[in-house]
Each structure stands twice: as structure tokens, then as C-alpha cells.
Amino acid sequence: MSFQSRFPAMLSILLGLSWAGSAPSAGLDERILKNETPHIVSQCYTKTVDDQGRIRNPCYACHTQSQAPNYLNDQDLQLTFSFPAPAEENPWKNLYKDRRAEIAAIGDDEMRDYIRRSNYLDAEGRIIPARRLAEPPEDWDYDDNGRWDGYVPDAYFRFDDEGFDLDPEGRPTGWRAFGYYPFVGTFWPTNGSTDDVLIRLDEPFRRNAAGEFDRAVYKTNLAIVESLIRRRDIAIEPVDEAALGGVDLDRDGAIGTAEWVRYDWAPREGRLMWYVGQALEEQRAGRVHLAAGLYPEGTEFLHTVRYIDVDESGDNRLAARMKEVRHARKRYWMTYAELDSRMAAETKEKHDFPDRVRVFRGNLESGVSNDQGWVYSGLIEDAEGQLRPQSYEELAFCVGCHGGLGATTDSSFAFPRRFEADGFQRGWHHWSRKGLDGLPEPLRRAGEPEYAFYLAANGAGDEFRQNREVRERFFNADGELKPEMLERLREDISVLLYASPERAMQLNKAYRVIVREQSFIEGRDAMIETAGFNVHPWVDQNTPTGVEEPLLGY
């Protein structure tokens, strides 16, 4: 490996910047990076040729032709393993560890009891990690000022019939849960975890012109943001446009009652869109911004990753115990031109210095920036199962997907996939209210069923092609999809996405072993058996994948 390829990591260490490791014996504020490329995730090492010589392409889901203002058209990564030199050796060693004996040593009752005990809320409904962060240990306090200055969890997961989270006194916290179609592959429960996502807009978006919290204002602003992100009309409950500041939401040329937010944003043609309430005044003053495909500054997402619980009917449910609490906040606004310029500079650097690894700004306390306006922070289980801050290296893992893929919309996955307003609670609900069972399969833009398309392109239900249960359920002995299962999938996605009780138990145990080891920097994938044939231990730079034509990811 050349000095050039190591230079960014070495420079950060010399300057005392925020590179950190997470070896069990090291403090969380350790400034040594064990894996120089934590943003290149384990799935990127999947072999694209199966054991019978057939070409498989799970890569299209993430690496695809993007839509502006995501200027990262990375569909070429479907064709070539384009790694810098430090990433040629697969660093995700947990993929290769045979943990069958350790998994077998964990009893079913022990595991079930573990995942049903919350490490987030105590018996009185208080947030456990918030209390721990109030008096942070020395190695959590990155800036040595005696207090925790990062994100403190403040969602209570007490939801009303509109998906709003309420604190113990019944006041809205600003967080709102929404139902969405899980992104293909890794995000399906059958591949390791359950999860949920909440959104919160900044305070001006929740207030009326008088500065008071106003639910109608907040719901309308969320619909406006969704219209911009999805570039489409969004159905809303009837609202009085005059009471919301005189904004013509439905574009009917009159200020009256609106039942739609019409997407009509073409500033070069003089067609603008406006927020409502206090956010309207902030927008007019230039303090908040609006553009298609971008969230306004101050937008937050809360993503909890959990174990898989199984109810009496065998359906997968969110476990009370959380593996991770992931938080994202849009700290600053970037225009289309700024985003384009940033991506052009990154593309040029990759061309001129192919072995130079990406450097991320931040630390375990303030979070890590993706250089596109967003900052990511999070908590993860410690060896005893309590939630602790993630180290710099553990956070950099997250930024690889949120800000480095053609498939995202302003670095997000879930919100653009939110359910329609004709569904349960108009699509604003938490998975604790309604799960994935009984939901019809989503469609791609061209009209094909999305999950069936993934199964056909990948020849399996996960990137590693390790999920035997999905293979046996959906594929015949020749590797062809079973038509009868695809028909069932069209009507109920849970036949694919849910793990059997037996598989869920094994996945939970496999991850528990990683938690006990605290070996997250070697991989977070719950592997019932070793990855074996399907994952490269080493990939020479610019090795062809065997895929001849890239697929669109949407």
C-alpha cells in the first residue's frame, strides 16, 4: 500500500482529528482507525457469480443512476469492484467466523427474555440512555468539557392515532412515525433485524404565525416536504388555506379548502412552493429553504434497529430491545450547484488519486458529517446490552450509505418510500400499531413488482445469498422463481420479509454473540453460518463483476 493511500488517515492522527477505533480494550474516544474504509460496507464484497457460474446483480439496488440533486451516478459500480487499495482486503472478518457453537450455547428462553426487556425505556417510561448521557464516562466526553454535547434520545415511542410521539405528560415531542416499504435486501427482517423510522421537522415548521405549536401547520408542512422529496402531489386532510397563511396549496387559483399539496416547483418558470405557518416567514426571510429533492435544514430522522420478536401467530414484530439508535440531522443547506460541485470534486479526486480513502469530519460526540449537510450520530449495545455512543469508526460505517449512493434522496432511504394516504392511519403510524403482514408488494417506476425484481436479479433474498429460508421458499432446485410464491408476494409482502420463528431466534443469537464481543468494526451482520463461497476475502482493484449491463434501481 502506498503512502498516498494512507495519507488521510495518518494526517488525521497527527493533527488529533476524530479518527477513532472501537476495539473492546480501547476507549470510545480512541483516535486510531482500525479499518481505513469503514464506509465500504460488507455487502460490497459479495461475489456476483454464483456457484453455478450464473451472474447475480444485487448491486443495482444501491448503485444506480441517480436523480438530481443527488449527482452521484454510480451505476458503473455494478460493473466493476472499484475499491481504493486499502479496501482490497475485506475488513469485515465477522463474515467468516464460525459461531455455531456460541449460538447453540444460548438458550431460547434466555434469548427471548433478553430481546423483550427494553434497554431504551425503563419501567416508569423514562429514557435509559438519556439518563446515562447526563453523566457521561470520561471516554464518552470527546471534548473533555464534563458533559455530553451530542444528541440525547428524546422520543418516547408513545404514539397517538396520527403517529405523533407524546412525552409522559402527553405533549408532542415533534417526532412522527410513518409506515414505509422496507428497502430491498438487508433491511428485511428475514435478513437480521427489525427497524422503524421517525421524522421531525425543525420548530418553525411545527408552529403557526403566532409562534404556537399547531398540529394542522405541522402536518401540512410534512406533506409539503414529502411532495418535494417525492416530486408528486400528496393527499392531505382538508385544511383552510387562509388560516395557514394564504398559501394556495392545491394550486386551484383560490384560497379556500385544500385536500392536496400539488407538486408545482419550477423556479426558472416562476412556479414556487411555500411552507406554512412560522416556516413561511422563515422562508420569506431566507432562513429556511425549499427545493425539490431536498429536506429543509433542521430536519431530523430517528432510526432504531432492533432484534426480531415473534408473536403468537408467527409474525415478526419489533423487539423491545434496541441494537442501535441512529440519529440524523440536516445541519446546513446546500444548493444544487454546491452539491453538484462537491460531487464533481469527489469524482475528480477518485480519478486522480484512486487509492486515496475518504475522510469524514466529526467525532463520537458531535456526530459525523457526510459533507452534504447531514450529521449522523448513534448509540449501539455495549457488552451488557445497554446503549452506548458509537465510536467515530462505527459512525463512519453509516455515512457510507447515507451520502455515498446513487439510490438515496437527500441521503435518505425510508421517507421517499412512505405509504400512501389511503392506508392505515393515512400512512402515519408506527410498526407497533400495524406490521408488514397483509401489505401488497410495491411497484417500480416501470410497473414491475419491486421485490420480485430483486429476487430475480440477485437469485436470492439477501446480498450474501446466505438466506436458505428464502431460497427454499421462493426458488426451485434449478434456481428459478416459483410463480405461486410470486403471486402470494403480490398480495402480502410478509411471506418474503418475515423470518420464521426458528430463523428469527438464530439471527437474534448470532447478533448477540457480536454484542458480547463488541466486534462491530469487523461487521454487524448476523450470520447463522459463515459467508463462505459468496463473499470475496480479497478483491483486486477494478476487477470486473461480470455484470454486462447496469440495471436501474427504481
Side-chain angles (χ1 to χ4, degrees):
M1 188 183 303
S2 67
F3 173 81
Q4 183 184 70
S5 68
R6 291 188 177 274
F7 179 75
M10 293 177 65
L11 180 63
S12 295
I13 295 168
L14 290 171
L15 295 181
L17 298 179
S18 29
W19 293 88
S22 61
S25 60
L28 292 182
D29 57 353
E30 182 68 36
R31 291 171 169 81
I32 298 174
L33 190 67
K34 308 295 184 183
N35 171 9
E36 290 187 63
T37 56
H39 60 294
I40 300 177
V41 298
S42 57
Q43 288 79 6
C44 291
Y45 290 88
T46 297
K47 293 181 181 179
T48 45
V49 181
D50 68 15
D51 55 1
Q52 297 183 38
R54 294 171 296 198
I55 302 300
R56 301 304 188 185
N57 183 6
C59 315
Y60 81 90
C62 294
H63 303 296
T64 187
Q65 182 177 2
S66 61
Q67 184 177 11
N70 181 350
Y71 295 98
L72 180 60
N73 291 313
D74 60 352
Q75 58 189 331
D76 59 299
L77 296 182
Q78 296 180 40
L79 311 180
T80 307
F81 290 100
S82 182
F83 294 154
E88 291 182 327
E89 180 180 354
N90 188 339
W92 306 110
K93 304 305 181 185
N94 279 343
L95 295 174
Y96 303 101
K97 296 179 182 178
D98 186 348
R99 293 196 171 91
R100 285 175 294 180
E102 294 163 280
I103 291 172
I106 303 174
D108 289 358
D109 290 341
E110 174 190 351
M111 194 70 238
R112 193 176 295 110
D113 179 65
Y114 180 78
I115 68 169
R116 290 179 176 176
R117 283 185 284 117
S118 178
N119 56 355
Y120 184 86
L121 294 172
D122 65 17
E124 286 73 43
R126 296 171 298 185
I127 300 173
I128 298 170
R131 289 162 49 202
R132 299 185 78 199
L133 291 167
E135 298 182 10
E138 186 175 333
D139 68 338
W140 294 13
D141 183 17
Y142 182 83
D143 56 9
D144 298 321
N145 67 351
R147 64 176 185 271
W148 176 259
D149 294 318
Y151 170 69
V152 177
D154 58 350
Y156 288 87
F157 293 89
R158 301 172 67 248
F159 300 101
D160 64 18
D161 291 339
E162 294 185 308
F164 285 103
D165 178 56
L166 307 176
D167 71 14
E169 284 71 46
R171 299 168 300 194
T173 63
W175 291 111
R176 195 179 192 190
F178 57 93
Y180 55 93
Y181 280 109
F183 195 73
V184 296
T186 298
F187 294 89
W188 296 344
T190 185
N191 290 326
S193 303
T194 57
D195 65 345
D196 57 4
V197 182
L198 283 61
I199 187 173
R200 178 164 66 184
L201 301 183
D202 207 7
E203 290 190 4
F205 294 84
R206 307 177 227 161
R207 298 172 176 168
N208 58 28
E212 302 168 338
F213 177 80
D214 190 312
R215 187 171 285 224
V217 165
Y218 193 16
K219 290 194 294 184
T220 303
N221 277 325
L222 282 165
I224 294 167
V225 170
E226 184 177 1
S227 178
L228 291 161
I229 290 298
R230 303 179 74 176
R231 294 175 169 90
R232 53 175 292 184
D233 299 343
I234 299 297
I236 58 175
E237 297 170 78
V239 295
D240 180 358
E241 293 174 325
L244 296 178
V247 176
D248 186 8
L249 296 169
D250 57 10
R251 288 295 200 268
D252 66 352
I255 302 302
T257 299
E259 298 182 10
W260 292 87
V261 170
R262 298 289 182 191
Y263 174 68
D264 187 27
W265 187 80
R268 291 182 177 178
E269 300 172 17
R271 304 202 313 273
L272 304 176
M273 294 177 65
W274 300 92
Y275 300 121
V276 299
Q278 193 176 76
L280 175 61
E281 300 304 317
E282 294 293 294
Q283 183 183 359
R284 286 171 171 164
R287 289 187 289 267
V288 300
H289 300 84
L290 179 154
L294 296 176
Y295 298 95
E297 46 268 80
T299 300
E300 295 173 88
F301 285 104
L302 191 64
H303 177 204
T304 76
V305 184
R306 310 186 187 207
Y307 291 86
I308 310 166
D309 203 350
V310 179
D311 64 20
E312 294 180 356
S313 65
D315 290 336
N316 295 180
R317 294 290 181 257
L318 292 172
R321 183 169 298 274
M322 298 180 183
K323 296 178 176 180
E324 298 183 54
V325 176
R326 300 173 175 177
H327 177 257
R329 179 177 176 84
K330 190 164 187 177
R331 291 278 180 86
Y332 56 89
W333 180 262
M334 292 183 72
T335 64
Y336 278 23
E338 289 168 334
L339 289 166
D340 190 15
S341 177
R342 177 202 169 277
M343 191 52 59
E346 185 171 311
T347 300
K348 183 179 186 301
E349 170 138 336
K350 184 177 179 180
H351 175 271
D352 294 348
F353 305 101
D355 290 336
R356 182 173 290 176
V357 297
R358 185 176 176 183
V359 179
F360 302 100
R361 295 178 295 128
N363 58 70
L364 83 161
E365 190 168 4
S366 63
V368 173
S369 170
N370 73 350
D371 291 329
Q372 297 173 49
W374 293 90
V375 173
Y376 296 86
S377 58
L379 308 173
I380 199 165
E381 281 182 281
D382 64 20
E384 286 71 44
Q386 294 301 316
L387 292 165
R388 63 156 175 85
Q390 296 193 37
S391 69
Y392 176 89
E393 185 166 336
E394 291 164 346
L395 290 175
F397 165 84
C398 300
V399 178
C401 291
H402 295 282
L405 300 179
T408 57
T409 302
D410 199 3
S411 304
S412 72
F413 287 92
F415 195 63
R417 302 173 63 86
R418 197 182 79 82
F419 293 153
E420 303 296 335
D422 58 358
F424 177 72
Q425 290 187 190
R426 302 181 67 88
W428 291 103
H429 65 85
H430 188 249
W431 296 128
S432 58
R433 291 291 186 97
K434 187 185 186 311
L436 296 167
D437 42 303
L439 292 171
E441 185 177 8
L443 301 178
R444 288 161 52 85
R445 289 184 189 174
E448 311 107 314
E450 181 184 23
Y451 294 159
F453 187 92
Y454 176 80
L455 293 174
N458 188 28
D462 65 308
E463 292 86 350
F464 302 125
R465 299 195 296 279
Q466 293 289 110
N467 191 326
R468 294 177 182 271
E469 189 166 271
V470 168
R471 288 211 313 270
E472 293 171 1
R473 188 179 297 172
F474 277 85
F475 294 86
N476 61 29
D478 296 326
E480 301 297 326
L481 283 163
K482 300 176 182 178
E484 68 274 16
M485 291 305 300
L486 295 182
E487 285 299 317
R488 289 184 60 188
L489 178 60
R490 289 295 300 273
E491 303 299 323
D492 183 358
I493 62 175
S494 70
V495 300
L496 170 63
L497 272 60
Y498 281 175
S500 68
E502 296 76 19
R503 178 171 172 80
M505 181 63 71
Q506 291 295 96
L507 289 167
N508 288 336
K509 292 179 181 180
Y511 189 81
R512 178 69 176 124
V513 173
I514 296 174
V515 170
R516 286 174 173 172
E517 292 178 346
Q518 290 292 283
S519 59
F520 302 118
I521 62 171
E522 294 187 342
R524 308 182 193 188
D525 305 293
M527 305 298 291
I528 297 173
E529 53 188 346
T530 59
F533 176 85
N534 295 328
V535 180
H536 290 288
W538 180 281
V539 184
D540 289 328
Q541 192 175 70
N542 297 323
T543 298
T545 63
V547 176
E548 296 183 354
E549 292 292 335
L551 299 172
L552 286 178
Y554 44 80

